[in-house]
Amino acid sequence: KMLAAEFDKADIHWRAQTLTKSGDKALALAYLDARNVMDRLDQICGMDGWQDRYEVHGQKTICYISIKIDDEWVTKSDGAGDTKVEAEKGSISDAFKRAAVKWGIGRYLYSLDAVWCPCKTYERNGKPVFSAFTDDPWNYVRGAAKPKSKADAREDYSNLVKDMRCQ
């Protein structure tokens, strides 16, 4: 439960997957930075209670995240290919985040609807290129609760920790 807890709104980032033909809106997808995932693992498992390792198989980087449960290491893995920006570094980061989802970290973000959000663009070779969102994509997510405030998220996290101590 603690690994899968929601993140603070400030920790959730949005990237543009594609643009409308007019270039005035972008399809916004929510994601976490790898550092947020590392922090969550450190907080819940302790700095010595988790580890990661990587293997390259053809064009894919596989990340194995192991968590020490009692005296046994339990491992889950997933992989990703090179990304458009910093290809190899991006594949390592994406594989890490995908493996973390198997532990429940940030998994709820996949249940959010992809939304079209107003954006700024610039022109390159006669086509619009995404520059920045002009509004908060959360304002366009239908049927999903807005992320909790930092204070509410901290309170939920504290309650989870208390619950775990009582079991």
Side-chain angles (χ1 to χ4, degrees):
K1 286 181 181 180
M2 292 167 53
L3 289 171
E6 289 187 14
F7 283 80
D8 293 340
K9 181 177 180 178
D11 291 334
I12 299 167
H13 307 282
W14 296 87
R15 71 173 180 88
Q17 181 174 4
T18 189
L19 293 170
T20 58
K21 285 184 181 184
S22 62
D24 64 336
K25 293 181 182 173
L27 188 61
L29 302 177
Y31 72 95
L32 289 168
D33 186 278
R35 286 168 203 79
N36 300 114
V37 175
M38 291 175 208
D39 288 344
R40 172 65 54 90
L41 287 164
D42 287 346
Q43 291 166 352
I44 305 302
C45 304
M47 293 184 72
D48 60 348
W50 72 276
Q51 58 190 359
D52 57 341
R53 87 181 153 81
Y54 301 85
E55 294 177 0
V56 176
H57 296 275
Q59 299 293 316
K60 301 277 189 213
T61 300
I62 309 297
C63 175
Y64 300 85
I65 296 178
S66 301
I67 294 177
K68 195 169 192 179
I69 300 173
D70 297 320
D71 288 327
E72 185 178 339
W73 287 97
V74 179
T75 303
K76 296 185 181 192
S77 63
D78 206 335
D82 289 351
T83 59
K84 292 179 183 176
V85 179
E86 297 184 86
E88 291 173 0
K89 180 181 171 288
S91 69
I92 291 168
S93 176
D94 283 357
F96 175 72
K97 293 186 292 183
R98 291 174 64 93
V101 167
K102 295 219 174 155
W103 284 103
I105 300 171
R107 187 180 297 163
Y108 70 97
L109 295 175
Y110 286 92
S111 66
L112 296 177
D113 292 333
V115 295
W116 291 96
C117 184
C119 68
K120 292 190 288 187
T121 58
Y122 61 91
E123 193 173 305
R124 184 183 335 150
N125 299 326
K127 292 185 178 183
V129 176
F130 176 81
S131 175
F133 291 111
T134 58
D135 197 1
D136 183 352
W138 282 112
N139 293 332
Y140 300 86
V141 176
R142 285 179 290 215
K146 301 265 196 247
K148 299 179 180 204
S149 69
K150 275 196 174 207
D152 288 342
R154 281 191 197 114
E155 182 178 345
D156 285 352
Y157 179 76
S158 294
N159 289 335
L160 278 172
V161 171
K162 288 176 193 170
D163 289 346
M164 295 302 286
R165 287 186 184 141
C166 293
Q167 294 180 3

